[in-house]
Amino acid sequence: MRSRLFFYLIVLALVVAGCAIAWQRHLQTQLPLLPGVQAPVWLVEVRVDFTARGEPVTVNLDIPDDPPGFYLLGEQTASPGYGFFILTENGNRRGEWSIRQAEGPQTLYYKIQLVPVPLTATSRGGQVVAPAATTVHWEEAEIVAARQLLAIARERSSNPASMTRELIKLLAASEPEQNAALLLSATPLVPLLEKLLNYSQLPTRIVNGLYLEDGRRNQQLTPKLEVFVGDRWLLFDPRTAHQGVPENFLLWNQDRRSLLDLSGGHNSHVRFAMLSQNLPAAQLAGITAADSPFALFGVHSLPVEEQAMLKMLLLLPAGALVLVFMRIMVGVQTSGTFMPILIALAFLQTTLLPGLISFVSIVAFGLLLRGYLSGLNLLLVARIATIVIIVIFIIVFSSLFGYRLGFNTGMTVNFFPIIIIAWTIERMSILWEDEGPWEVFVQGGGSLLVAVLAYLLMRWPVMAHLSFYFPEINLIIVALIMLMGNYTGYKLLELHRFRVLARRDAP
């Protein structure tokens, strides 16, 4: 009883471990659990128009760097004749175009590809030391209004975040009270919020971003407000007091520097356009989660040649599961233990129908030659070696014949395990002599049936996807194989064979 309990605990542990590791891999790397899942990718284009004066031109554009909620997939520029370089200063990225001489209307393009990811994966870490609040200068009447407005906001709040929300409500109201109206008459809403919060010794800055909408053109940046609370910046909507980064909102400018600096030209304009695209989610997950421990130990991070080899290797447990089920639970007889799995792997290369035709043809022709060799009374080693060479000649002839006829299937016959086929021919020949042709047909047909079923499971897109991107599911397959290996009851074919006895015993 104790050993049986320990066995079931091992099986349960394998299932739980396989499911838990696969789920954690899905959460941390965003790998889809099903094949064919598409992930959105945003293409944002910046167009800079200006007029050059016929002198050296330098254009400096603020560009995003690790924006919250997005992963930078790629960036490119289209600026004929201009040199381009990305400058990084204090964590801020700016793209700089330069040319020795330009005159007349000029147009520069900057494009960026972004993948939406969970905010926790890209949020910047907070600063340890809080930045100093900016010094604010007011007129005498404005000082009194600002103090009274801040006093009202403090009474209705308990911390800096709630105070900021209350202050926004007071200023963004449809009918602001007297003090708010006085301040708004001299300063726009967003700069006024920044001045008030800095005046109350809360470090604040204005940031700019884009609301991403598919197919939109000629868009402009939308200002937001960031307040330093605790050890990090909190984003607020200056119109609605909503806290946090809105969905599909791309923070473009996060410092106090200008969006565009132009030297050698005038009449500059910056316009934004955006487009939503779809790419395979599995491909994007391998890029966006490259630093995850699961990605570091993922199969898809290996070179392509090794990936192709391991992709076939990781399908073997699925074939083994079918083989164990058909032999232990159903009772199908096969020629050899793992011969059907090897045949199924060959079918993955040749496809099913050409593979079946090739396998049956090679084995049938080999049996004919084996019958002739048996009359020569050769020793076992010499007989097997002769069959191997004959099988090689058959495969070469099939490949050449198929190529001449314009079929590609003939060229893939070489994926069959030659040595295994030679042994199969030898075993079937001996079985023919000892048990007769019917037993050869039963075991050969059983091997092909198991091989076809294993091929169908391994060719199933869901199984191919899970085995490659979530190799830990093989722990679940091991648990199922162990459970079936512990089965001691009747096989399905035995129940069919003993059905007559069951009818006799029935009353």
Side-chain angles (χ1 to χ4, degrees):
M1 179 64 182
R2 184 176 301 174
S3 61
R4 178 74 63 177
L5 177 63
F6 183 70
F7 170 78
Y8 287 121
L9 287 177
I10 292 177
V11 171
L12 179 62
L14 289 174
V15 174
V16 172
C19 294
I21 296 174
W23 183 249
Q24 285 299 317
R25 185 188 296 273
H26 167 68
L27 293 179
Q28 295 193 22
T29 64
Q30 298 302 306
L31 278 169
L33 295 174
L34 296 175
V37 177
Q38 299 287 313
V41 177
W42 286 101
L43 177 63
V44 180
E45 179 186 82
V46 185
R47 174 173 173 170
V48 181
D49 294 298
F50 65 95
T51 303
R53 301 194 187 99
E55 58 187 62
V57 175
T58 301
V59 181
N60 197 278
L61 176 70
D62 193 85
I63 57 179
D65 177 28
D66 191 22
F70 293 91
Y71 177 85
L72 178 59
L73 187 62
E75 53 188 344
Q76 58 182 344
T77 63
S79 49
Y82 282 80
F84 180 79
F85 191 78
I86 295 179
L87 305 175
T88 303
E89 299 178 6
N90 299 325
N92 181 55
R93 298 171 73 238
R94 298 185 70 88
E96 184 177 276
W97 289 269
S98 59
I99 193 172
R100 178 66 61 181
Q101 184 177 7
E103 185 175 3
Q106 306 289 311
T107 301
L108 306 176
Y109 292 94
Y110 170 77
K111 298 179 181 180
I112 186 171
Q113 279 186 309
L114 299 159
V115 181
V117 294
L119 282 173
T120 55
T122 57
S123 298
R124 297 182 179 184
Q127 302 178 15
V128 177
V129 181
T134 305
T135 303
V136 179
H137 300 283
W138 299 95
E139 297 292 337
E140 187 171 336
E142 293 176 339
I143 292 179
V144 177
R147 289 176 178 174
Q148 293 181 359
L149 202 62
L150 288 171
I152 296 174
R154 287 194 187 97
E155 291 178 0
R156 298 178 180 178
S157 61
S158 59
N159 52 55
S162 60
M163 175 183 170
T164 301
R165 292 193 295 268
E166 291 301 324
L167 191 59
I168 293 174
K169 291 179 182 178
L170 291 172
L171 293 175
S174 57
E175 295 182 2
E177 55 101 30
Q178 184 178 0
N179 292 315
L182 174 64
L183 295 173
L184 287 170
S185 64
T187 309
L189 174 61
V190 180
L192 178 58
L193 283 169
E194 183 185 23
K195 290 180 66 176
L196 286 170
L197 291 170
N198 277 290
Y199 185 70
S200 63
Q201 299 304 310
L202 285 178
T204 309
R205 66 185 182 186
I206 298 176
V207 298
N208 296 283
L210 287 169
Y211 280 101
L212 300 180
E213 299 180 33
D214 187 22
R216 297 300 297 271
R217 302 174 60 188
N218 299 326
Q219 297 298 295
Q220 300 297 323
L221 295 176
T222 301
K224 300 284 184 181
L225 196 69
E226 276 192 332
V227 181
F228 194 87
V229 179
D231 61 347
R232 59 197 179 102
W233 291 99
L234 297 181
L235 185 71
F236 293 89
D237 191 317
R239 302 287 178 183
T240 64
H242 180 271
Q243 181 179 334
V245 181
E247 185 179 0
N248 286 341
F249 184 78
L250 171 62
L251 278 176
W252 191 277
N253 180 289
Q254 292 183 272
D255 60 8
R256 299 180 183 274
R257 299 187 61 179
S258 61
L259 174 64
L260 181 71
D261 295 328
L262 174 62
S263 173
H266 61 282
N267 294 332
S268 61
H269 301 279
V270 180
R271 291 178 292 180
F272 296 84
M274 57 206 69
L275 184 67
S276 178
Q277 302 172 325
N278 288 316
L279 292 178
Q283 175 184 348
L284 294 177
I287 301 174
T288 57
D291 297 333
S292 170
F294 287 99
L296 294 176
F297 294 96
V299 177
H300 58 278
S301 62
L302 296 174
V304 176
E305 185 176 355
E306 281 74 9
Q307 287 188 38
M309 178 188 67
L310 290 179
K311 188 173 185 179
M312 298 290 295
L313 188 63
L314 290 172
L315 287 173
L316 284 175
L321 179 66
V322 174
L323 174 66
V324 172
F325 176 80
M326 295 300 292
R327 293 199 58 168
I328 295 179
M329 307 300 293
V330 180
V332 175
Q333 300 183 42
T334 62
S335 178
T337 305
F338 294 102
M339 179 64 184
I341 302 178
L342 298 175
I343 299 174
L345 285 177
F347 288 166
L348 290 177
Q349 301 294 332
T350 63
T351 67
L352 185 58
L353 184 58
L356 280 172
I357 296 174
S358 301
F359 179 79
V360 173
S361 301
I362 293 173
V363 173
F365 192 69
L367 283 174
L368 292 177
L369 292 176
R370 169 60 177 80
Y372 172 75
L373 292 176
S374 61
L376 301 178
N377 296 324
L378 297 178
L379 296 177
L380 177 63
V381 175
R383 189 166 62 244
I384 293 296
T386 304
I387 294 175
V388 168
I389 296 174
I390 291 174
V391 169
I392 292 174
F393 273 110
I394 295 173
I395 292 176
V396 171
F397 176 77
S398 300
S399 300
L400 294 176
F401 183 74
Y403 175 74
R404 294 298 179 184
L405 294 179
F407 297 107
N408 294 326
T409 56
M411 302 297 294
T412 58
V413 178
N414 58 338
F415 285 100
F416 280 115
I418 298 174
I419 304 299
I420 301 299
I421 288 182
W423 272 107
T424 300
I425 294 173
E426 176 67 19
R427 291 187 59 179
M428 286 187 175
S429 179
I430 296 175
L431 189 64
W432 188 303
E433 295 174 355
D434 295 341
E435 303 291 338
W438 174 250
E439 193 65 26
V440 173
F441 176 78
V442 170
Q443 294 191 15
S447 298
L448 287 180
L449 175 62
V450 174
V452 170
L453 294 177
Y455 163 81
L456 294 176
L457 179 61
M458 292 188 289
R459 191 63 183 269
W460 187 31
V462 175
M463 177 56 66
H465 174 83
L466 291 176
S467 65
F468 182 69
Y469 290 104
F470 300 91
E472 52 273 0
I473 67 163
N474 288 326
L475 295 176
I476 303 175
I477 294 179
V478 171
L480 294 176
I481 291 176
M482 291 176 64
L483 282 176
M484 288 188 289
N486 202 40
Y487 177 74
T488 57
Y490 287 107
K491 300 177 175 61
L492 293 178
L493 292 182
E494 289 177 341
L495 292 176
H496 176 74
R497 185 173 57 179
F498 297 143
R499 69 186 186 283
V500 177
L501 299 177
R503 291 172 183 172
R504 287 180 181 177
D505 297 335

